[in-house]
Amino acid sequence: MSTTKSTLLGAAFVTAAMALPSLQFANAETPPEQGIVSFKYLHYQDSQGIVAQPGSTTSAINTISGASSVASPGTSGGATSGSQDRIGVNAYSVNALVPVAGKWSIGTTYTSDSVSGASPTYHSSGLTTMKDLRRAVDVQLTRYFSRGSVSFGTSYSKETDYISRGFNVQGSLSTEDKNTTLTLGGSFNNDSINPVNQPGVDEKKQVAAGLIGVTRVLTPQDIVQLNFGYSKGNGYYSDPYKVNDNRPRDRSAVTALARWNHHFDDNGTDGTVHLAYRYYSDSFGIRASTFETEYVQPLYKGWTVTPLLRLYTQSEADFYVSAGSAETADPTQPTPPPTDAVYYSEDQRLSAYGAITYGVKVSKQINKDWLVDVKYEQYEQRAQWSLYGNGDKGLTPFKAYSIQVGVSRQF
Amino acid sequence: MKTMRFHKLKELLLAFSFCMSFSGNVYALEPGNKAPDFNLPGIQGSVQLSKTIGSVVYVDFWASWCGPCRHSFSWMNAMQEKYRSQNLQIIGVNLDAKNEDAKKFLAEIPAKFTVAFDSKGETAKQYGIKGMPTSFLIGRDGKVIYQHLGFKEADKESLEKQIKSALEAKK
Amino acid sequence: MKKDVIQKSFYAVLLMCMLGLSGCALGTAVQPWEKATLARPEMTFEGDKLDNAYTEHIYSSKEGASGGAGVGGGGCGCN
């Protein structure tokens, strides 16, 4: 395998996730009055605790069979404390939303993200370097009616080894007093996967998803939303860049999301609190709970500050293989899956863990048309923070930080 | 078992849509009905609808926080200018709970028509408005001719046509 | 498994209908002119579109769970 290819290993499987346009149940009841163009830059860097290496002071950077020279990701701290950089992302997105003839709107987003760094091939070990560039575009057309809206969207994204095409439809209908809104949505995604380390593999993945939601105004200061989602996919779910990874070719998932926004009026701070809880359950055996809160505090002269907190916990997938004692003693040796196992994976993301995010966003409305914002977030995953079963003690803590800088202008 | 479930589901959806269609029901003012009188504080003294008998009156319910309302002001200003001589009177009934919000808005976008303040929304309730803005065209006889919800660029033409024909109608 | 999912979705719809129906039972509907606060951008569930897109996809590439707020954001190769 050439050097170029080796540096691409696994890249796409991380990048594909980044910044793909996601459709919020956002279609507002009324068409936008003005056009808006937004730009946002993201810098993201994650890292992990260093895996103890017997007889070595630095952690090993593995490469998949035959890969030649690989760059060593940056490390800091000692051999067993400190941390080791994994993936870094620099991305930018541009979004434009244009009202048309008072009844329509067209929105489009372009995203480019460049990813580089190292990713484990099993558990927290076998780090392999990677680099890739992903480009994605989506278009959304919405028709507004007096009591609702219908929108159609399509998306496309491409990177070295992964192409995704998607279509979606959503509609919303409100009561005459606009206090209750029913929303329905459906989407279909068709992905092609051609791993760079396995030239013969030409795989597909197809996912259909549906969502039903109710949004209800409770008081002049309270609005709540309840969404239920179901998705069913078929195809290639394994990770070709990991060792000992063979996952079911079907995956179905259900989600329940409850959100509540409350405003502290007049006698209060003029701030708004957002609360959200999501329950997730899928056929891989992963159950997850997410609690999110943020508090939007307007200040003087168009300044707004928004601190946020997110708590997450998940159970492990039924076929997750924990790091065994042999691997713990010598991390260069991946734990073999049980001999009778049909499906198995040593992907950290399928283990049981808990995670905490905290962050703050500061924005400034410069004048009627211009808005700028900056957001900083810090994230940490730990096996022992799992509330759904015991985490894998063989994993090191995973951390990340991200910075976003955005600007938008109305026309 | 499965079919029974889907049956139930259908029933529930039916019940839900039934509920959706009724929950927003409030009293609605029909064309031909007499426009309820009101007497509200304005910028210069009180504004009373019954004092405008003989004029064609365009009553517009608005608030400072409502986007399309903001949009409608320049059009209403133009209409008031254009048809003043034919006895058109535009009354913008402000529904801001906080009067200072309305004052701030008017400082930014001055109104060249009559403005009245109804911070409690009592008139809005009487007129049974269902969204912001809502306007009522009232004939010289004091009866509602036309009611319009919202304000878009595309609405201007048909609204002006309605005003014109109301002005041309015999008393 | 499949049966389980059907059952779960059924309860989901049931719960939602109850929410909708309770909306019609509770008499104190918020009037159109009382929606000054609700018209503020921070009172909607939309949020900052690009921020949400970045954030959601960071999470869906680092965590087992994803989705919930909308449909369509697929194409994620982040197993």
Side-chain angles (χ1 to χ4, degrees), chain A residues 4-48:
Chain A
T4 331
K5 271 187 181 169
S6 77
T7 59
L8 287 170
L9 284 180
F13 270 71
V14 182
T15 53
M18 304 300 302
L20 236 179
S22 160
L23 290 167
Q24 292 282 307
F25 257 4
N27 41 341
E29 292 304 294
T30 51
E33 288 158 52
Q34 286 177 285
I36 184 161
V37 175
S38 313
F39 170 88
K40 195 150 270 173
Y41 167 78
L42 166 77
H43 174 71
Y44 166 91
Q45 179 66 55
D46 57 34
S47 63
Q48 66 171 36

